[in-house]
Amino acid sequence: MSASASAISAKARACFAGTAPRGARRALARSGGTAATSADRCDARRSLIPRAAVAEPPGPSRTDAELRAEEAILAGDDSDGTIAGFTKLEWSCIQTPARYLGNEIGAVHKDWDSAEVRFTMAYPEIYEVGASNLGHVVLYTILNNQPGMLCDRSYLPGEDMEQLMKSKDRKLFAVESKRPLAHFDALGLSLAYELGAVNILEMLHLSGVPLSWKERDDAPDEVWDVDNGSWPLVFIGGPTATSNPEPVADFCDFVCVGDGEDIMPEIGECLKKCKKDELNREETLFRLATEVVGVYVPRFYDSPPGWGGAVFPIREGAPERIRRRVSDPNPLMQIGLVPYVSTVHDRLTVEIRRGCTRGCRFCQPGMLTRPARDVDPEVVVEAVERGMRDTGYNEFSLLSLSCSDYLALPSVGLEIKNRLKDENVTLSLPSQRIDRFDDSVANILGGAGKAGLTFAPEAGTQRLRDIVNKGLTNDELLHGVQTAYDRGWRNVKLYFMIGLPGETDADVLGIAETVEWLIKTVAGNVARKRDELTLTLTLSNFTPKPHTPFQWHSVSTDEFERRGTLLKAALKKVRNVKSNWTSIRISAMEDFIGRGDRALCPVIRRSWELGAHKDTWWDGQDASFRAFDGAIAEAGLDWKYRQVVSGEWDVLEKLGDKDYRAQGGGGKGRVDRGALADERLDAPLPWDHIDTGIAKWWLKADLQKALEGITVPDCSHSGICTECGVCGDEFGENVVAEVPPLPVFEGHYTPDGRRTQRLRFRFTKDGKESFIGHLDTLRLLERAARRAALPVSMTRSPYSSRPRISTAMALPLGASSEAEMMEIVLTEKMKAEEVRAKLDEQLPAGMRLTEVEDLPVKYLNGRYMVRFPPFFSRPTPETPPASPFVLPRE
Ligand code: SF4
Ligand code: SF4
């Protein structure tokens, strides 16, 4: 044990023994649930202290004058020149401070004191990812629409902000109220992928909230009251938590299983009552578990030895299975925040269909989101039209697991195009089935060269596509790529997987053969280089997911390596193909965690302690792998991880197919366990208590069909039900919207480049808005002009038409100014003052348009001459300062 570790351990022991001063206990309790101060805690993670030193339960109390003082600092506005307790200079040194300001268009600032229940939606990724996550935005909007409920937001801070917080011993705060996360009643975290679990721990640690529910517990006779020292209820939601919450069961007080739209207000109402009834923490959670369908409280369940990680209720009354919640998408709730910084999906997103019933056997979303529900086409059109006008975005995306299965798509897309035809807007579709990609869908996309096209054939041969139930023929594949090519796309992205059950070497090589065939058939004889077709392949490693027919299959990283090498060699011989490969180690860890049980909680926690957190999975993979390996070894689970390396059980071997091995299927080193197959399929699984609606027998039957190469049709569109078990009163039914008639296309947008009027504005930039960077300010002004419906002249670039809005100079980040200059060129003459008032209304609080000047149109835009006052000549009341900006001479 290192010296620092033993010192921390001693400190911890003294605290828990009650011999340490109260201040030290408080520091421990706030130190991320471990026995160290925040600085110690950070060092401890890196110095590999034994887990015993960090896993003991600390004292529960956190309320004290010290914490209240911190709250006062953080809750303060910038009246004393600070924001959230940081000075302007400190904010200026942070990269993209606008991430933390909470002043975006659409941000809600509810009164703290009058709220009966206070939530924070803490997204365990940086702002650019979190603020563009549709689920995050929707739940934030829905909760803030409830009477008596307040919802704030928080994101994983950047490295520089984290350092600044640590240097000032500050806890992570919510962006709007600037209050520490520990001051909210409920702290919601989203788990969207398996490795995101370490980010959740990082976020709790930065918030000073103990990491496990045991460490957050109150004494049984204490009322659960965050204002009086209880810790918030930490809950986790999202697709990965719904699929299998066990690997993160130690870290949360409860899990929300399924869609969040209906369950969140119910949780809020339940918490209101629990607070009124002055229940203790455990009883509050019990009421949630028993009164709100879809709430899973891990403390009321346990996993007995010998049951394969399956969990069972240990408190009478707790439901044996937790039913997944199903909510219908409501696009009008999706018109939310408009961030100032450029986010990963910097556009309006409107959901058109939730769920997919295609039945691809590897696809977890396709199993976990049934039934499929189309949104009424009129509602989609209204939401897009209103959303574009309210937000000022110039791009929107129609979202669904498989957009082209929304049969109303061509009509809806054309209708939106017609309605917004005078505005420069682009449509993007994240996912399409290649068999449904035709001229009608191509018509509504942004146009060749604008929107990228990605299709997912998944497998290289018809045989394997049938095994996985992809339901795609070579002819359909060719027709889709041919249509794209004919409509002007010269680069198409294709997504394939290797390692699927039943895959042989012929299937792996089939990927290279298929892409070569596509390129040659579609554009094999073109004369000009620029007419050639390029295919960009994303090749990922199949990882079996819970609740799918392939949930019993074991992958083998050794096989991934071998098959990858085989395919790389084959692809080298094919022209015009680019390939991107996903990391085998990451796939293996996703599989290991994703299908793990509660025994993985200490592994995840330990790997986080050893340095696996945040983006280290992607940027510093070696360190993360070392941390993860170390944690697995400490937990004595190497044997289990080795199964992922060598492959434990290939489900296809159940068939006893003699030729399968000979063709390179299965993988070397595997034991043929065909005789054990049925026994294995019946064994309990760690996620059996999650009731997705799909019967386990149906998954087994579908697996059998896979092994026999039998496909099943999409039940929403074929009307053929294979009785998976979902449809009924509890989960609802498939909803397929009636397809409206295709409207007459009124023509593409043509930029209006007329220059009729040039207006020059003087504006202020102060307060929080002084931390919006120059490019972000330009984007903010463009969006404000669109919201104000000003007839802004557009450049006539054939590729990207831009509004004629320009600013004079780039103001340094954090600098305030009363004399910023901006020009707008309009296509129609308007009263200058009217334009100023309309635009001013759309600007955030720290930006005001103070003057407007109508200029001759012929001046070149963006040209200013700065006139500084003479040296030592200070303005007096008699000689006020003139605007330093004057027009250049002609
Ligand atoms: S089409 Fe297949 S892969 Fe795509 S979402 Fe549906 S089930 Fe999943
Ligand atoms: S119950 Fe039938 S119709 Fe409903 S999702 Fe399952 S297979 Fe489709």
Side-chain angles (χ1 to χ4, degrees), residues 448-469:
K450 272 199 165 182
L453 271 185
T454 305
F455 302 116
E458 314 287 2
T461 61
Q462 190 66 55
R463 185 191 78 88
L464 196 54
R465 284 201 290 271
D466 287 347
I467 286 180
V468 303
N469 201 42

Side-chain angles (χ1 to χ4, degrees), residues 356 358-360 362-363 366 401 433 470:
C356 178
R358 285 277 182 166
C360 301
F362 53 83
C363 177
L401 282 172
R433 293 267 315 189
K470 190 63 198 175

